[in-house]
Amino acid sequence: MKIRNIIGIAAATVAISSCGDKMDYHEYSTYDEDYVKTMFSRAAGIVTSAYNDLDTDFGNYSGAMLSSATDESVYSHAGNTIEKFYNGGWSATSNNDASMWVKCYRGISYANLFLDKFKDEKFLEYVTDLDYPQELGQYNNLQYEARFLRAYYYFELVRAFGGVPLLTSYMEADEANSQSRRTSDEVFQFIIAECDGIKNLIEKNYASPSYGTLKSKNESGRANNLAVLALKARAALYYASPLFNPTNDNERWHQAAVANKELIDECKSRGMKLSADYAALFQKDNWKNTEECIFVRRVVSKTNTFERYNFPVGLENAGGGNCPTYNLVESYEPGDIRLTATVAQNGDTWPNATLETFVGGANGMPIAYATPTGYYLKKYVQNLKITTSGANTEQHHWVTFRLGEFYLNYAEAILNYTNDPTAKAELGMSAEQAINVVRQRAGIGDIPTGLSATEFAERLEKERFVELAFEGHRFYDLRRNMKAGNIKYRTIKSMYITKNDDGTFNETVTTDATTRAYWDNKMYLFPIAQSEILKSGGSLTQNPGW
């Protein structure tokens, strides 16, 4: 993509937050490189544009979430594109996520463009301005933000496709398209090295006096050093996992534990902890949370689209949507506060009426698009009005990184490293202690002691399932641990409810292994779109089996 074109694409569409206020966005329609170099804000716009493709999943697949390609949920509208992930329809020419490749490399291109062309300007014509030191300080920080964003997009690519072309300088389209793939090892090592290289250089706190707050704009919606540490910690866990670590190199598990503990310790040093209100982490003001949020991807536009997708059928304009499975529900322990924050059940008041998910009920079968599992989704769904008359809208913000994940990441890494739930190695915290931090917030107390490493791993898997439900983890967790092909995770359990004449209910757990019976091990990695293969002129090779 030519420089004049990539600058011209920078558009004011979203804002991003690191648990702070929103970023200012500007639209750029002037393409000249020298013109961009004349003002701080124009150069900053290149990096701002690189933020625009950060991942969210508010129904990316025509309303379906990635959860509905797993045992986490079932999308109530048959024939949705999400089914390609499990019915054999997924291919290099019928690719659900062909846009992922394009979006990630677009973000990488913006980052490389800034780093190659714009990061060393001094803007000397503004040196006499009172705000010049602050402006220059904020501008100098952009290079570290750009490197974070580039590493982030490479993580998105490597966890989906494995090894990909590793572009670390700005290239015109023909040159970029002709690059060959690097190994997944090389890509993960690049991500981790980049995070190490910038973790002590990027700003720690955009609200601090050292960074400075200009009256004319708000720059707090940026990735800080906690986001860098979080990306490194997550990437290190994936790098140690079976899909990318076929020889089970134990040192990778050690380094994953070290990386996750580094983040946890840094968060604790700032007074961060798991928030008591789990449900609020996924509601409209979650970006304001300074206890647990590490990085929240903000979307400025107000909508009720996600609610229309997911509100219970029977309500006006409601679509039923991504219905939690009994697989998920049975994984919660009694008294777990996360269940009521995540799943709407028969008899619950949600969103403003008593739910009837039983057969013949106001929100149950046989109404078209009624829940096929007996449950509806609450997590991330806001209590908005979606009626034709009197509808309202709200902003929706995606939690990219939060502290709860990294206690579980740490528990997994140190368990695999030591093969002992109680071992601390040199890190001062055992897998038991880490998982108990998460469980205590959930209100279910400590995990039983005396579990074997295998038993603990099974409990940890369930803990990730319920703690991180509908946050985009389950799909990739099953793949990185090479469990997605196991029929256990492809058998969908539902709650079939009927109402008796006396007002009581009969509940029967049903199982269905037929709709997701198809599996091929090639599906552990995504196919690269055939159009990208053709564009490369043969330089880009396809993943095995596709």
Side-chain angles (χ1 to χ4, degrees), residues 236-310:
L237 183 73
Y238 273 70
Y239 187 38
S241 299
L243 181 61
F244 302 106
N245 185 16
T247 63
N248 195 29
D249 179 355
N250 202 39
E251 181 56 22
R252 293 194 195 178
W253 289 114
H254 180 213
Q255 291 305 314
V258 170
N260 281 275
K261 186 62 162 48
E262 181 182 15
L263 172 64
I264 291 168
D265 288 346
E266 182 68 15
C267 288
K268 288 170 69 175
S269 74
R270 302 188 193 188
M272 295 178 68
K273 60 183 179 181
L274 302 197
S275 298
D277 192 345
Y278 177 84
L281 289 170
F282 312 101
Q283 293 299 304
K284 66 176 183 178
D285 291 327
N286 57 352
W287 63 274
K288 296 179 181 179
N289 179 290
T290 57
E291 285 187 312
E292 184 170 349
C293 290
I294 293 170
F295 191 87
V296 178
R297 204 286 204 184
R298 293 190 64 193
V299 182
V300 169
S301 58
K302 292 185 175 183
T303 71
N304 60 22
T305 304
F306 193 63
E307 287 67 34
R308 286 173 178 260
Y309 285 151
N310 292 290

Side-chain angles (χ1 to χ4, degrees), residues 331-337 339 442-445:
S331 297
Y332 291 89
E333 296 179 28
D336 194 328
I337 64 169
L339 176 60
I444 53 176

Side-chain angles (χ1 to χ4, degrees), residues 377-391:
L377 178 63
K378 289 177 71 176
K379 194 169 182 178
Y380 272 123
V381 183
Q382 300 185 34
N383 194 353
L384 301 177
K385 293 181 180 179
I386 62 170
T387 53
T388 302
S389 175

Side-chain angles (χ1 to χ4, degrees), residues 182-407:
R182 306 286 283 274
T183 66
S184 60
D185 284 1
E186 290 174 298
V187 179
F188 276 114
Q189 289 164 9
F190 172 80
I191 294 166
I192 292 168
E194 277 291 273
C195 291
D196 278 335
I198 64 175
K199 67 184 181 182
N200 295 322
L201 299 173
I202 196 169
E203 182 62 40
K204 289 186 175 182
N205 181 3
Y206 290 97
S208 70
S210 64
Y211 183 74
T213 301
L214 300 178
K215 294 179 181 179
S216 61
K217 61 182 177 179
N218 193 317
E219 293 285 1
S220 60
R222 304 280 184 181
N224 63 8
N225 78 316
L226 290 182
V228 172
L229 292 175
L231 175 60
K232 175 189 173 183
R234 187 186 286 178
L237 183 73
Y238 273 70
Y239 187 38
S241 299
L243 181 61
F244 302 106
N245 185 16
T247 63
N248 195 29
D249 179 355
N250 202 39
E251 181 56 22
R252 293 194 195 178
W253 289 114
H254 180 213
Q255 291 305 314
V258 170
N260 281 275
K261 186 62 162 48
E262 181 182 15
L263 172 64
I264 291 168
D265 288 346
E266 182 68 15
C267 288
K268 288 170 69 175
S269 74
R270 302 188 193 188
M272 295 178 68
K273 60 183 179 181
L274 302 197
S275 298
D277 192 345
Y278 177 84
L281 289 170
F282 312 101
Q283 293 299 304
K284 66 176 183 178
D285 291 327
N286 57 352
W287 63 274
K288 296 179 181 179
N289 179 290
T290 57
E291 285 187 312
E292 184 170 349
C293 290
I294 293 170
F295 191 87
V296 178
R297 204 286 204 184
R298 293 190 64 193
V299 182
V300 169
S301 58
K302 292 185 175 183
T303 71
N304 60 22
T305 304
F306 193 63
E307 287 67 34
R308 286 173 178 260
Y309 285 151
N310 292 290
F311 269 168
V313 162
L315 302 180
E316 184 180 352
N317 295 324
N322 300 276
C323 300
T325 62
Y326 185 71
N327 308 56
L328 175 64
V329 171
E330 71 173 347
S331 297
Y332 291 89
E333 296 179 28
D336 194 328
I337 64 169
R338 297 170 296 191
L339 176 60
T340 55
T342 304
V343 179
Q345 305 186 59
N346 183 53
D348 288 353
T349 299
W350 175 252
N352 50 22
T354 301
L355 273 184
E356 299 180 352
T357 65
F358 55 86
V359 176
N363 317 105
M365 297 182 292
I367 302 173
Y369 311 130
T371 172
T373 66
Y375 306 102
Y376 286 104
L377 178 63
K378 289 177 71 176
K379 194 169 182 178
Y380 272 123
V381 183
Q382 300 185 34
N383 194 353
L384 301 177
K385 293 181 180 179
I386 62 170
T387 53
T388 302
S389 175
N392 62 345
T393 59
E394 190 50 80
Q395 294 175 345
H396 295 71
H397 312 299
W398 186 258
V399 179
T400 304
F401 300 123
R402 63 180 178 88
L403 185 54
E405 172 197 341
F406 296 95
Y407 278 103

